[in-house]
Amino acid sequence: MDTSIGVDDHPPATDRVTVPAERTAATCLTEAGKVLLRWAETVGTRNVDAVLALYAPDAILVPTMSDDIRGREDDRRRYFESFLDNDGISCGITVQKKRVSRKLGTVVIGGLYSFQIRRDGTETVVPARFLFTFEEIDGRWLITGHHSSKAIEDV
């Protein structure tokens, strides 16, 4: 049984990615879901390096609290250094929809989350919506895309 995914219809053998035979849509969804939950937990630790370790090197971040699109690790680092710079941040997630590509290459999870942020003794809740994409890269499921925006209505 050929379990490789080609780059196009007739790629040379060196351009093919081998997918383990045991990888199913359910497995992909489960593994990506674990990374999403780990991301939310890690945000609460305020550990910038641990958050960045969940992203692929070329991941795209369109963050909640900034209008800048972050496509490089140093740009993502600057955003998270600022975003995680408070003593009371936490993130609660409500997943709305999940899907996996037919070729089992990319998982997309979209939903709602809210951040509890404490600055200067005042706690603020920031409701937002998100769309994450995940791919397995070198045996690890990583975030390859992350779009987040403040919710325009109470969620």
Side-chain angles (χ1 to χ4, degrees):
M1 174 188 212
D2 183 9
T3 57
S4 25
I5 297 175
V7 174
D8 56 29
D9 290 337
H10 304 288
T14 57
D15 287 345
R16 296 171 74 83
V17 176
T18 300
V19 176
E22 68 276 0
R23 188 155 98 174
T24 64
T27 301
C28 293
L29 291 169
T30 297
E31 294 304 312
K34 287 178 185 177
V35 176
L36 178 60
L37 293 176
R38 189 173 316 119
W39 180 88
E41 292 168 2
T42 306
V43 163
T45 69
R46 301 174 52 212
N47 183 332
V48 173
D49 289 325
V51 170
L52 292 175
L54 299 173
Y55 287 83
D58 60 347
I60 297 170
L61 170 65
V62 182
T64 312
M65 308 294 279
S66 170
D67 290 333
D68 294 331
I69 298 171
R70 317 293 174 121
R72 298 180 325 172
E73 184 169 348
D74 59 330
D75 295 331
R76 289 188 300 274
R77 175 175 296 282
R78 277 195 301 278
Y79 172 74
F80 282 114
E81 285 172 347
S82 173
F83 183 66
L84 300 177
D85 185 30
N86 74 77
D87 62 358
I89 192 165
S90 65
C91 178
I93 293 179
T94 305
V95 175
Q96 299 294 311
K97 302 285 183 187
K98 295 181 184 181
R99 77 168 299 279
V100 63
S101 71
R102 290 190 311 151
K103 291 186 178 184
L104 304 181
T106 301
V107 174
V108 179
I109 303 177
L112 305 173
Y113 49 19
S114 55
F115 297 99
Q116 290 72 37
I117 299 172
R118 189 178 322 127
R119 290 193 191 251
D120 302 324
T122 302
E123 188 163 309
T124 303
V125 175
V126 179
R129 53 190 172 227
F130 66 82
L131 187 69
F132 281 88
T133 59
F134 303 87
E135 293 179 30
E136 186 177 19
I137 300 171
D138 296 330
R140 291 183 57 222
W141 280 91
L142 297 170
I143 299 165
T144 55
H146 176 188
H147 176 269
S148 181
S149 57
K150 291 181 186 177
I152 56 173
E153 55 189 51
D154 288 333
V155 292

